[in-house]
Each structure stands twice: as structure tokens, then as C-alpha cells.
Amino acid sequence: MAASVSALESAWQLLIANFTEFQLATVVTFMIHETVFFLSGLPSLLFERFGLFAKYKIQKKSNTSAYQNRCVLRLILYHVCVNLPVMIFSYPAFKFMGLRSSLPLPHWTVVVSQVLFYFVLEDFIFYWGHRALHTKWLYKHIHSVHHEYATPFGLTSEYAHPAEILFLGFATVVGPALTGPHLFTLWLWMVLRVLETVEAHSGYHFPWSPSNFLPLYGGSDFHDYHHRVLYTKSGNYASTFVYMDWLFGTDRDYRKAKAVEENEGKKL
């Protein structure tokens, strides 16, 4: 354990010796996000395009190659023109709230507790923001862009109107802004959050999917339902967990649909 920590701190020392904190918190953060996002999101796109793992695909429908390509091109545009500028211009605010990149790295207990706090807080804020986006005016003018893909694949997780990127992006950054984390913790949170939302939008439910093992985790099956039904009846608004929808009754139709599927499966 001590050796691995020492190796990690040595690698971190190389980073802070070769890049300014501003570069690390903006450009390098953007590059990490893009790498993780596209590497984790491309597999489900390719599975759908070539008909791979069809037995685990949640919906029988598939997007055309042209429709997939349209998503990718617009994502690149949104990321460069919206995400990157937001990262750059929000750096002073994060710095003011206590962001640091110096050694020593935070203790693992601090990292884990902060990331868990971010997940819970983000899920709570996202639930109410997402639910608001399903009101008539906001859905028509903003959130309908995200729902252009009724059959989602991993990369559609960040396909959204620029206003929604800013609106729901607040849920992702408010936790770190409150705690003033180390940049290492911020990067870990970003990576885990990206992997979570890509999995939720993957369109595939595998035997090894996280929702089969993690209590209260929603995952792909939970969120896929949200995309494939009429926006006024979709429910399942939370980003990561299922308890907010359960507490406020916005998963009733999903639960009924799952019960019907199970009963039909038993009859076969």
C-alpha cells in the first residue's frame, strides 16, 4: 500500500512539475474527460452498429450509422465550444473554493468520502433539475434535444442542448465546489461520473452490469426506460441511484412494466 502511494505521488510530482495548476485544471482535465468519455462510449456504438451482443440489447430498435455519426460530430462541437470554455472560466471559482494540486495527495479515506458525497448530492440535485426539464416548456425548448435518441447508446449521455449542459452540469460541480477538493479527487470523481452516465445510456444490460451487484444503483435498464416512453410518463429522473424516484413515486410505471415483463417471462 505504501509503495503504491509513493509511486502515485511520484507520478503526481511529474505532473505538477511540468504543468501549471491552471493547465492541469482546464486543458488536462478536458483531455482526460474526452479520453474516458469516448473510449467508454464507443463500444456500445460499435455493438449496435455491427449487431454484437444483441441478446443483451435492451431495445430491439437500432440507430442508423448516419444518426450515430451525427451524435458524435455534435458532441465534439459541444465539448469544444461549451465544455472547454466552462472549465477555463470556472477555474478561478474553484480556486477560490479551495481547489489545490500540490503534494501530499489526500488520504484515501478523504478521497472516498468526498466522492461518495458528490454522488449522493449530484443525484439529488440532478433528480429535481431533470424532473423540471420534463415540464412542457423546458422539454420542448431544451431537453427534447437529449431525447432525440429514444434508443440510447453510450455517447448519447452527453448529447444535449447547451443550456442543459450548463443546467445539469451544475449538479456535477456543486459538490466539489463545496468541499474544495484536491485535483486528484476531482479527476477521480469526473472519471467515475462519466463511466456511470455512459453505462446508464449504453442501451445494453449485461450479466456483469453494475446494477446487478450494487444496491440502489439504477444503471442502463433503469435509464433506458426513461428514453423509450413518452416524456410525460417517463419517470426515472435520477442520474445514478433509484431511491429518489422510489421516494417520490416517479418510478411507478417502470416498476409496473418490469412486473409485466417478469410475468410474461415466467409464462414462456
Side-chain angles (χ1 to χ4, degrees), residues 212-234:
N212 294 328
F213 307 100
L214 300 177
L216 303 179
Y217 180 79
S220 57
D221 186 65
F222 187 77
H223 193 71
D224 198 273
Y225 178 84
H226 175 83
H227 274 263
R228 69 178 182 262
V229 300
L230 187 66
Y231 82 94
T232 56
K233 299 180 179 179
S234 55

Side-chain angles (χ1 to χ4, degrees), residues 130 221-223 225-226 234-238 245 250-252 254:
H130 191 190
D221 186 65
F222 187 77
H223 193 71
Y225 178 84
H226 175 83
S234 55
N236 293 12
Y237 299 118
D245 285 282
T250 47
D251 66 347
R252 288 197 192 100
Y254 168 73

Side-chain angles (χ1 to χ4, degrees), residues 181-223:
H182 194 281
L183 185 60
F184 174 82
T185 309
L186 185 64
W187 282 355
L188 178 61
W189 158 237
M190 178 183 68
V191 168
L192 292 176
R193 179 70 180 97
V194 167
L195 293 176
E196 180 277 321
T197 192
V198 166
E199 192 278 329
H201 287 83
S202 67
Y204 289 81
H205 185 72
F206 297 105
W208 54 86
S209 292
S211 57
N212 294 328
F213 307 100
L214 300 177
L216 303 179
Y217 180 79
S220 57
D221 186 65
F222 187 77
H223 193 71

Side-chain angles (χ1 to χ4, degrees), residues 59-123:
Q59 296 187 48
K60 300 303 179 185
K61 297 182 295 180
S62 293
N63 296 287
T64 64
S65 297
Y67 211 41
Q68 289 179 334
N69 295 341
R70 172 178 175 268
C71 174
V72 174
L73 290 174
R74 291 197 179 185
L75 279 169
I76 294 171
L77 177 66
Y78 291 158
H79 285 184
V80 173
C81 297
V82 180
N83 292 18
L84 180 58
V86 167
M87 289 180 183
I88 292 172
F89 288 110
S90 64
Y91 171 73
F94 272 94
K95 189 64 178 174
F96 177 77
M97 298 298 285
L99 177 70
R100 68 180 184 87
S101 59
S102 58
L103 289 171
L105 295 176
H107 193 269
W108 70 267
T109 55
V110 174
V111 175
V112 171
S113 60
Q114 286 187 342
V115 169
L116 287 175
F117 170 68
Y118 300 160
F119 265 114
V120 172
L121 182 61
E122 189 277 341
D123 192 69

